[in-house]
Amino acid sequence: MTKQMWDRMGWGVAGCVGVVFAMSGFQSSEVKIGVVEMAQVVQASNYGKGQLQAFEKMKAEREEMLKFLSSNDVATAEQVKELRDLVRKNPRSEAETARYQALRAEITATTEKAKTLATKNDLTAEEKKDLEEYTRRAQGVDRALQGLYAAFTNEMQDWADDQKTAGRTKGNAVLKEIAKTQGMTIVFDSDVVPYGANDLSDATLKGLNAQ
């Protein structure tokens, strides 16, 4: 996933955030201003990289499930629901992973049966009934796919928003200590003060990675 795509999913900072940190109870006449690229710091941190990998894994699993159902649209409503619930498990237990694979195998077997019946002449009454059932299921799967796509998109957006907030909270906690140590009066995001002399980004990244 590109950085631009990740930003659209909620990781990047939208617009200028202004003051990141300000010392309270400041009494000295000297004002020392620092800057930090907090969004870039979090993204470059071990935490940020780990969350990006987790996001990509979750996204790939959901996309693969949707692709599977699109190619195997004979799944019952109950099977679709169970697949959905299992793909949302993070992490999945060994038993849940085994069930997920078994469920996919069941659906795949039904797909093969449907293909065989679709090319067979002189179907029995029972076989005609089965084909009609598979047609009804396909219509249900098509509707389910639309709902699943919307639900997964919202879930991933919410997850990314939560990680963005958590990342900035972690970064700000580290920055606060660094700013105090270096005697900063106030720290701005570099979006607001892009050419500040006291850039605390590297120190914040190092501190974040040390956690």
Side-chain angles (χ1 to χ4, degrees), residues 96-160:
E96 289 168 339
T97 298
R99 175 54 187 160
Y100 185 70
Q101 296 302 328
L103 185 58
R104 288 168 60 100
E106 292 172 14
I107 296 170
T108 300
T110 305
T111 296
E112 293 305 313
K113 179 180 177 181
K115 289 179 179 178
T116 298
L117 291 180
T119 59
K120 183 179 178 181
N121 296 321
D122 301 323
L123 294 173
T124 65
E126 186 64 27
E127 289 171 336
K128 289 180 180 178
K129 184 178 178 181
D130 287 342
L131 271 181
E132 291 173 356
E133 171 62 18
Y134 298 148
T135 299
R136 284 193 293 271
R137 291 184 189 181
Q139 295 171 348
V141 169
D142 184 61
R143 290 191 297 270
L145 284 173
Q146 297 178 43
L148 286 170
Y149 178 82
F152 287 161
T153 299
N154 290 335
E155 287 173 9
M156 296 305 294
Q157 179 66 63
D158 290 344
W159 186 91

Side-chain angles (χ1 to χ4, degrees), residues 196-210:
N198 301 302
D199 192 336
L200 306 182
S201 299
D202 289 345
T204 303
L205 175 59
K206 183 177 179 180
L208 190 55
N209 284 341

Side-chain angles (χ1 to χ4, degrees), residues 21-194:
F21 172 79
M23 287 290 290
S24 60
F26 174 71
Q27 296 178 348
S28 172
S29 59
E30 180 183 355
V31 176
K32 191 173 182 181
I33 299 174
V35 296
V36 64
E37 294 181 297
M38 187 58 75
Q40 288 75 12
V41 166
V42 176
Q43 287 180 2
S45 70
N46 294 335
Y47 171 84
K49 292 176 181 177
Q51 297 311 303
L52 178 55
Q53 290 176 352
F55 180 92
E56 290 177 333
K57 181 175 182 292
M58 292 165 65
K59 180 174 179 288
E61 287 179 341
R62 285 157 175 75
E63 287 181 340
E64 198 282 330
M65 194 206 88
L66 294 176
K67 182 178 179 181
F68 173 80
L69 283 175
S70 180
S71 300
N72 296 271
D73 59 2
V74 294
T76 65
E78 291 75 17
Q79 288 174 325
V80 171
K81 182 179 182 299
E82 189 175 2
L83 277 178
R84 179 204 65 191
D85 292 344
L86 286 170
V87 83
R88 282 173 169 165
K89 295 279 188 177
N90 184 30
R92 282 193 293 270
S93 66
E94 289 186 10
E96 289 168 339
T97 298
R99 175 54 187 160
Y100 185 70
Q101 296 302 328
L103 185 58
R104 288 168 60 100
E106 292 172 14
I107 296 170
T108 300
T110 305
T111 296
E112 293 305 313
K113 179 180 177 181
K115 289 179 179 178
T116 298
L117 291 180
T119 59
K120 183 179 178 181
N121 296 321
D122 301 323
L123 294 173
T124 65
E126 186 64 27
E127 289 171 336
K128 289 180 180 178
K129 184 178 178 181
D130 287 342
L131 271 181
E132 291 173 356
E133 171 62 18
Y134 298 148
T135 299
R136 284 193 293 271
R137 291 184 189 181
Q139 295 171 348
V141 169
D142 184 61
R143 290 191 297 270
L145 284 173
Q146 297 178 43
L148 286 170
Y149 178 82
F152 287 161
T153 299
N154 290 335
E155 287 173 9
M156 296 305 294
Q157 179 66 63
D158 290 344
W159 186 91
D161 287 344
D162 289 344
Q163 304 318 304
K164 179 183 70 173
T165 299
R168 287 194 67 88
T169 298
K170 290 176 179 290
N172 286 341
V174 172
L175 174 63
K176 183 176 181 179
E177 296 305 315
I178 292 171
K180 287 181 179 179
T181 300
Q182 298 192 19
M184 297 296 162
T185 310
I186 189 168
V187 180
F188 288 98
D189 193 284
S190 58
D191 286 343
V192 178
V193 184

